[in-house]
Each structure stands twice: as structure tokens, then as C-alpha cells.
Amino acid sequence: MKHSLLFLSWLFALTTAAQQFQQEFGAARKPFLEVMAVPDHPDSHYSLGEPASLRITVREGGCPLHHAALRYKVGKEMFLPALWDTLTIINGEAIIPMGTLHEPGFLACQWEMDIDGKRQHDLVKVGYTPQQISSFTTMPSDFRAFWRRALAAARRYPLSPLYTDIPDATDEHTVTQLVRLRVGEKKWMYGYLSYPRKQGSYPVVLVPPGAGSKKIFPSDYYPKQGMIYLKIEIHDLNQLLDDAAYQQARERCEGYMHHGLADRASYYYKDVYVGCARAVDFLCSLPQWDGKNVIVTGGSQGGALTIITAALNERVTLCAPFYPALSDLLGFLHGRAGGWPKFFSPHYAGGKADVTEGETTLPYYDVVNFARVLSVPTFMSWGYSDDTCSPTSVWAVWNVIKAPKESDITPTSGHWRFPSSQTRCLEWMKKHLR
């Protein structure tokens, strides 16, 4: 209790001091140090053989910085050299020559500088005719049959949902429950189900998770939009375990993206992909579903599972992935950036170990092949400064989608999205509701 009172006293004093400072001296309306890195083409797109450059501007309190050392590396994305080159900031500016590409893809520039004892850094990428990027992944002749059989096998088992009320996430407008679903013979998933309390019929939204085995959390974002929302995890980890027990349980998931990779029938993601499709079956069994609209959306691994689920489950009507992972997975085998988890890469942990066992399995799991059979309207958003899900791999997916599609490209974003992108996605969903 004593420590709590001391902490609260310290917090109050800090807040009071900040308020007094603002009253006495005024609040800053912009940062004192301003650094910008801008390609010489505003859209970050170049023609093959055209040289690209990156302009770095640095201002302190509005005044140009002089004689700061700027270190940088330039090369094909995810194949940057080990050594740094150096330029000097003169009159607040420096121009980094990025070179060019003679085949479709992305150049990357990683830069850094030390200013007033703090490291400033960023990663900037530019695209060379990305509309012409083609995937190195081919579609197996039995791809569709393989997944039809897998989904049919999973549908032989009842979903048998088990519900737990979540009072802390339930109010007068929204009801939230944790549900456990049986999504295959030996596969279960947990998910937070949230829906409007008001009686009526609503679209359903499935949100698969990003990579890892971290806890997920409920949200009222979609219920406030008049939608039923299910956020799932993929490892059968009880989300109500205390932190210590959860940490112990999730140890079995370590490196899951490599488990069973040698055999397409036993690869870890097989039950995950089918399980996401079964989660859609569950949503469509709810009495509150409007019987018409089924949306899937997510980012990174969740973006990959969004496309996969939309391709596997015939009930899905809208597909909205953000920077999908698991895309163009054979890219590194051909000297080009592939998607997360960067199989076959000489630069990332575990990449080399996969070469002998994954090359025949991964085409069955590559998002590119699911995108090839996608048939529902699709909204996709991604950025170019992403070093987790390379823009090369995302473009490889985008370029094979034949369904009606709309893109939201924000070149300066990395492995995250701007709020405006989420807003645009929601507006697109509402526009396309049946």
C-alpha cells in the first residue's frame, strides 16, 4: 500500500509539473528534431533501369543540421550488404543514390545517424514495375482437390461450441463470450465472440490472428458497426489462463510454422487453414447472422489466413487482408525476397534448414495459390517499408487476384497500418454489403 501511495504521489507530481511547464512556456506543436526521407518519385514507383535516389532532410528547431554523418546501405530488399556507406548532411540535406533494378522488384535503403546522442534510423523501399512481379510458386495439379478433401474431413466433426461469458467485455450494447470450437478431428480453437445486444440480423466478421501464440483480446469495434465479430487464436490455448500457465502452455507452439513441414499432410498449417474455414461455418450457424454477409479480415499471418479462408469457404462474401504473410514462399530460393516466415533465406534464422524439406510442401500452403482461386471482392492494404512481409511477396499475391479488387498502398508504412487505411477498409466493407 505504501509503495502504491508513493507511485501515485510521484505520478501526480509529474503530471502537475508537465501542466505547469505548458502553462508557463506553451506546448510544442511539432517535434524539435524533424527528419524526412523522401524518394525522388512521389509514389515510390520506377521504370526498369531508371535510377532512384532518396533525399534525407534534417531540421532542428526549424534550422538545417550541418555536418552530421549519415550511414546507409542500399540493395535488393532483404539482401542488403553488410557494410555501410557514409554521407555528410550539408545544409540539412543529403542525397542517397539507390541505383536501379532491371527486373521487377524492390530496392531498399536502410539509413541511420546519431543526433544529440540519439539514433535516428529508418528503412525505405522503392518498387520497380511491381505490377509485373510474378510468383515463383506454381500451383500443384491437385491443389483444389487436396483442400476440398481436407475441409470435407474436418466438417465430419461437430463444432461443439463451449461458451464462457466475459463480463468485463460485456455492456448494455455488446455481449462478449469466449468460445472453444472443435474445428477438426484433433484440432480446437478459441475465439472471442462479440455481437450487438439488440435483437436483429447482422453480418459476421472473422478476424484471424497475426503470427505467434500471444493472447488475443476482445473488441467492440465491429459490434459498434452493427456486425458480429469473432477474433480467433489458432493453437487451442485457453485465453483465460493466468500469465504463468499461459506461458507454459504456449511453449509447445514454439516454431510452429516449421512443424511437420516435410509432409503436406502433416504440416502444422493444414489444420489451421481448415480450422479458419470451420470458424466461418460456426459464425454462419448463429441465429443472429443475416444469412447474406460473411467478411474475413486480418493482418500479417491474419492477412494470409484471410485470403485462405475466403478461398476455402464458399460462404465468405468479402475478403480484406492487410500485408499478408505466407506469400511467394519460394522467393528466396530464386534470389528474391519471399514472404514471412522467410523460408530458404540465408539471412534469417532457420531459413537454410528448410531447403530440403519444404520445397514440395509449401506450394500447397502459399497464399499465392489461394489468391489464384479467390472469387469474392477483395480489399488489400500494404506498405513498402515492411521487412516482415516483403512488398515483393505481397505484390506477387495481388497480381494473381482475378476477383474484383481494390488496393490501399501506403509506401511509408511498415508492418503496421495507418488509421486511415482501417477507416477506408471499413467503408469498403459497408459499401459492398449485400
Side-chain angles (χ1 to χ4, degrees), residues 74-270:
V74 172
K76 291 170 61 177
E77 70 161 331
M78 296 189 176
F79 288 89
L80 292 180
L83 299 178
W84 297 82
D85 289 317
T86 303
L87 286 172
T88 301
I89 300 289
I90 301 295
N91 198 29
E93 289 191 352
I95 304 292
I96 298 176
M98 293 185 65
T100 190
L101 285 180
H102 297 281
E103 58 186 17
F106 277 79
L107 273 178
C109 176
Q110 181 180 347
W111 63 265
E112 65 178 29
M113 67 180 82
D114 297 316
I115 302 176
D116 297 332
K118 294 183 179 180
R119 180 170 172 258
Q120 307 292 326
H121 61 97
D122 202 357
L123 176 71
V124 177
K125 300 182 185 181
V126 297
Y128 279 80
T129 59
Q131 301 87 349
Q132 297 178 21
I133 291 174
S134 58
S135 175
F136 289 110
T137 300
T138 58
M139 179 178 283
S141 59
D142 63 342
F143 177 84
R144 290 179 174 86
F146 174 79
W147 287 108
R148 278 197 300 267
R149 291 194 301 268
L151 183 55
R155 280 175 168 165
R156 290 201 292 266
Y157 300 92
L159 288 161
S160 305
L162 294 175
Y163 297 90
T164 303
D165 292 336
I166 308 296
D168 290 346
T170 297
D171 56 28
E172 66 272 21
H173 303 295
T174 304
V175 176
T176 298
Q177 299 170 300
L178 182 67
V179 59
R180 188 185 188 223
L181 302 173
R182 185 180 186 181
V183 294
E185 181 182 6
K186 299 178 181 179
K187 183 69 176 178
W188 287 261
M189 290 180 176
Y190 282 88
Y192 282 109
L193 176 67
S194 299
Y195 53 90
R197 185 181 290 277
K198 183 179 179 181
Q199 287 190 338
S201 298
Y202 303 101
V204 293
V205 181
L206 176 69
V207 179
S213 51
K214 301 180 292 294
K215 280 189 175 181
I216 59 172
F217 298 95
S219 168
D220 62 358
Y221 177 81
Y222 287 106
K224 282 183 176 178
Q225 307 300 325
M227 301 177 183
I228 301 167
Y229 161 85
L230 179 65
K231 174 66 178 288
I232 58 172
E233 62 85 44
I234 61 172
H235 306 293
D236 189 26
L237 294 172
N238 188 342
Q239 300 300 295
L240 300 183
L241 292 174
D242 63 52
D243 290 345
Y246 191 86
Q247 179 61 32
Q248 184 176 9
R250 70 194 289 260
E251 288 177 359
R252 62 180 169 82
C253 305
E254 194 68 31
Y256 66 90
M257 66 289 298
H258 298 266
H259 294 179
L261 184 58
D263 185 350
R264 66 175 188 173
S266 61
Y267 188 29
Y268 189 88
Y269 271 118
K270 180 184 177 185

Side-chain angles (χ1 to χ4, degrees), residues 306-317:
T306 292
I307 295 173
I308 290 159
T309 305
L312 287 179
N313 194 307
E314 66 282 357
R315 291 185 173 98
V316 175
T317 57

Side-chain angles (χ1 to χ4, degrees), residues 292-359:
K292 296 178 290 185
N293 295 288
V294 179
I295 305 166
V296 190
T297 185
S300 192
Q301 176 185 261
L305 295 175
T306 292
I307 295 173
I308 290 159
T309 305
L312 287 179
N313 194 307
E314 66 282 357
R315 291 185 173 98
V316 175
T317 57
L318 294 177
C319 173
F322 289 79
Y323 35 87
L326 295 158
S327 301
D328 200 27
L329 293 172
L330 303 184
F332 283 106
L333 274 180
H334 301 271
R336 194 179 76 184
W340 182 92
K342 303 170 185 174
F343 293 115
F344 316 115
S345 168
H347 306 293
Y348 297 91
K352 295 180 181 178
D354 304 319
V355 174
T356 58
E357 59 181 13
E359 192 172 351

